[in-house]
Amino acid sequence: MITAKNIIKNYILGSTEYKVLKNINFKVPEKQFLAVTGMSGSGKSTLLYQLSLLDHPTEGTVIIDGIDASELTSDERINFRLQNFGYIFQDYAILPSLTAKENVMMPLLMQGVGETVAKKKAEDALVRVGLQDRLDNLPSQLSGGQQQRVSIARAIAHNPKILFADEPTANLDTESSQTILDIFQDLHQQGQTIIMVTHEPEYALLTERNIELRDGVIIKDVLLTAICH
Amino acid sequence: MINKFITRLLRDVKVGWFLAIRELKRSNIWSTALIIFVMSLTFFNMILMGGILIGLAEGMTSSFKTYYSSDVIIKPDSRKSFITESNILHNVLISLPIYRASSSRYLSPAIAENEDKTKDRVTDIGERVSGTLVGINPNDEDRVTGLSARVIEGSYLTDSDVNSVLLGKSLLSKYSQGSSTEPRLKEVIIGSKLKLIIGSNSMNVIVKGIIDTGNSTVDGRIFIPESAMRSLMNDKNLNANEIVVSLEGNASSTDAKNYILSNFSYSNDISVERAEEALPKAVSDMKSTFSMLGNIVGVISLIVGAITIFIVIFVNAITGRKYIGIMKGIGISARAIQVSYILQSLFYALSGILISSFIVIWFLKPWFSLHPIQFPVTEGELAVTVGGLLIRAIILTITAFISGFVPAWLVTRQHTLDAILGR
């Protein structure tokens, strides 16, 4: 269970203060597939950064399984992310000097998993995203869609409690985007909690719940299960 | 608590190693080569300039001691012009427990004239050069200074030579061009006839050899067998003006000096000096100056080297800022990232150190030994010792460690999101 409690996020640029998130409150139960949507500048990515502990809210807090994130030190936040989160970035964000398999191994090694076991788990994760024949390829040898699948494999290899995805299809063509969404749906079927930010309303319809933001405020919070599924 | 810390430290080192190896293996080969090249030059710079300057300083002492003063040099007291009772002194010397050899030298200012080849008329004055004529026992001198090994043309003197001389190279223009405005002998070769003139006495001699010791005093001398010197001076009871003493192995020259002073009855009439004390003040000052310059250059090189390494690694870390942010974002600890950068930095530095050390030890040092740097008062080699190399290598390695750590620390301290988004 992840709870956003009274989250306010302000940015100061020069002498101007921008209020990006204005008192956001909601809860995400386990195994839910949530889409956060909204127009550009609505604050959806900023919200994801707060929920995934990549950023600190100006006010309010995020509570994950009863742990108040505002009480964690910087190192504890890194470790918390390692143990509990998987993160998929918009621009794939895989390390260019590591092969697909080595990229996926990184969080596992950091968790203290032995290299042989990490290798096996990384291979399994890559197989799950359909990259069994690209295990030893460097990012430069992969297409955008394949790199994003490596990013997904890296995010799921250590069985995180929550998977965060920030516009995972933004840089992909339709076919690759569909592949990614299919993978997300598979993961959701297997009980994975997913929080995905997207600006594509049709992709949000494939999820279980849709929170729509406008100017830093939730204007819609809809359970789609009842409508679509 | 400690166990947990050690487990995490080992995990971070392991992950840092994993990252560093792959980072190095897959980085652009030319970039890596360029960084290593810069590191090599940095280390090279730390060794070379300081090594040359200190080498010149050491060369001054070394050639002075080897070819001129040996371990101990005995001269007449300033009130005297020769050593009193040199036979008694000789007996004292050979009774010295650490005595190895000694050589008595008989000195006189002289003129060497190459009159045959340069005079058009009998009344003309021939090509002349002034120098110190030194009467020696060739075998004794050779045992003390190894002078025979420094003959660059012709051959060394023997006891049976009665009218042969060795010329120091500084007396000949072909070996001293441009180094002085003093007159030099231009046309003298091995076998040339010279006229030695001391006051109203003169003697015709043949040039038997030319010596090059690298010491300006010795290279400005004319060596002649002692018997010939006596004959030229017309003085059978000639007293020595210099006695040089060579000691066994690493024997203490201070002990030898004290022994001589306390056992020679006429010690008030002589001056006994260790090689270090006998070094002329100008040379001694020059040596200190060169040593100081060498050390200053070494320190400056180290600072420049440290800044270079820092910049190289810093640029490397800054350009990888986004990926550092991503790593932190996916849960890689700051320490693991720092270890990775430190290991990369150490790899660059150690590669540079190894390449430079190899070039210095296997190529430059032997090359400088064969081709010493010619300096007006001496010749210098490259002063590099394994210990010196090791100290500089350790300093550079520590610098590389810090230079790898600080930029990585600065970047990992940055807000994760700012690093990822490049803010």
Side-chain angles (χ1 to χ4, degrees), chain B residues 102-297:
Chain B
S102 66
S103 172
S104 298
R105 296 172 186 158
Y106 305 86
L107 314 180
S108 173
I111 292 169
E113 184 177 305
N114 183 17
E115 58 177 358
D116 293 340
K117 301 244 172 169
T118 53
K119 280 164 77 171
D120 296 328
R121 290 170 296 184
V122 180
T123 52
D124 285 349
I125 295 173
E127 185 182 67
R128 285 180 160 196
V129 69
S130 298
T132 302
L133 185 65
V134 184
I136 53 169
N137 177 315
N139 290 332
D140 287 351
E141 184 67 25
D142 195 35
R143 264 198 295 277
V144 174
T145 61
L147 197 61
S148 65
R150 304 301 295 197
V151 174
I152 52 171
E153 276 188 53
S155 55
Y156 190 62
L157 297 173
T158 61
D159 283 338
S160 56
D161 287 323
V162 286
N163 60 349
S164 298
V165 292
L166 289 180
L167 292 182
K169 70 162 188 179
S170 301
L171 301 170
L172 305 174
S173 61
K174 76 182 226 189
Y175 291 110
S176 316
Q177 280 172 355
S179 64
S180 171
T181 52
E182 292 287 311
R184 300 279 184 262
L185 297 171
K186 287 183 187 146
E187 295 180 40
V188 169
I189 55 170
I190 300 301
S192 292
K193 285 180 187 168
L194 292 181
K195 185 177 184 182
L196 291 178
I197 306 164
I198 300 177
S200 57
N201 299 333
S202 67
M203 174 192 263
N204 288 324
V205 292
I206 292 169
V207 176
K208 191 175 182 189
I210 293 160
I211 55 161
D212 174 10
T213 64
N215 178 270
S216 57
T217 306
V218 181
D219 289 346
R221 289 182 159 184
I222 305 162
F223 290 88
I224 189 168
E226 177 193 330
S227 51
M229 178 88 171
R230 288 179 195 282
S231 161
L232 172 61
M233 303 277 287
N234 201 17
D235 183 354
K236 287 203 166 67
N237 299 314
L238 206 56
N239 278 298
N241 305 92
E242 271 177 14
I243 299 176
V244 286
V245 186
S246 163
L247 304 174
E248 287 289 356
N250 293 323
S252 160
S253 52
T254 307
D255 290 350
K257 176 181 171 178
N258 293 338
Y259 180 91
I260 296 164
L261 288 172
S262 43
N263 288 281
F264 182 50
S265 318
Y266 303 93
S267 61
N268 287 336
D269 294 339
I270 58 168
S271 151
V272 183
E273 289 179 313
R274 297 182 294 117
E276 296 77 15
E277 295 167 338
L279 204 62
K281 188 167 181 318
V283 176
S284 168
D285 288 349
M286 239 187 284
K287 185 192 164 193
S288 310
T289 307
F290 277 124
S291 294
M292 189 180 68
L293 284 174
N295 289 327
I296 290 171
V297 167

Side-chain angles (χ1 to χ4, degrees), chain B residues 50-72:
Chain B
I52 288 173
L53 288 169
I54 292 171
L56 282 174
E58 283 179 0
M60 287 177 196
T61 319
S62 165
S63 63
F64 178 85
K65 184 176 177 181
T66 308
Y67 302 112
Y68 176 68
S69 71
S70 193
D71 296 311
V72 175

Side-chain angles (χ1 to χ4, degrees), chain B residues 367-381:
Chain B
W367 191 85
F368 273 110
S369 290
L370 290 173
H371 309 279
I373 305 162
Q374 296 301 320
F375 197 66
V377 291
T378 187
E379 55 188 30
E381 293 182 16

Side-chain angles (χ1 to χ4, degrees), chain A residues 1-3 27-34 64-66 160-162 188 191-195 208-209:
Chain A
M1 167 82 83
I2 182 165
T3 305
K27 289 180 182 178
V28 183
E30 273 184 34
K31 301 182 181 178
Q32 190 168 72
F33 187 0
L34 166 68
I64 300 148
D65 290 343
K161 282 184 185 163
I162 306 164
H188 174 50
Q192 178 69 59
T193 308
I194 304 172
I195 300 176
E208 200 177 1
R209 179 183 172 192

Side-chain angles (χ1 to χ4, degrees), chain A residues 49 54-56 78-79 81-82 89 91 93-99 102 105-106 109-110 138 154, chain B residues 8 11-12 15 18-19 22-23 26 322-323 326-333 415-417 420-421:
Chain A
Y49 300 148
L54 284 174
D55 200 3
H56 299 262
I78 291 177
N79 195 46
R81 283 201 297 268
L82 175 70
F89 296 86
D91 58 353
I94 51 179
L95 303 173
S97 56
L98 303 185
T99 63
E102 288 163 352
M105 284 169 72
M106 285 305 295
L109 292 173
M110 204 58 217
L138 288 168
R154 183 180 64 189
Chain B
R8 284 189 174 176
R11 178 202 64 185
D12 289 344
V15 172
F18 182 89
L19 275 170
R22 281 149 186 89
E23 213 30 80
R26 296 181 185 133
K322 181 184 175 178
Y323 295 106
I326 289 164
M327 282 194 272
K328 279 178 71 187
I330 62 168
I332 309 302
S333 73
H415 194 282
T416 305
L417 196 58
I420 294 172
L421 300 177

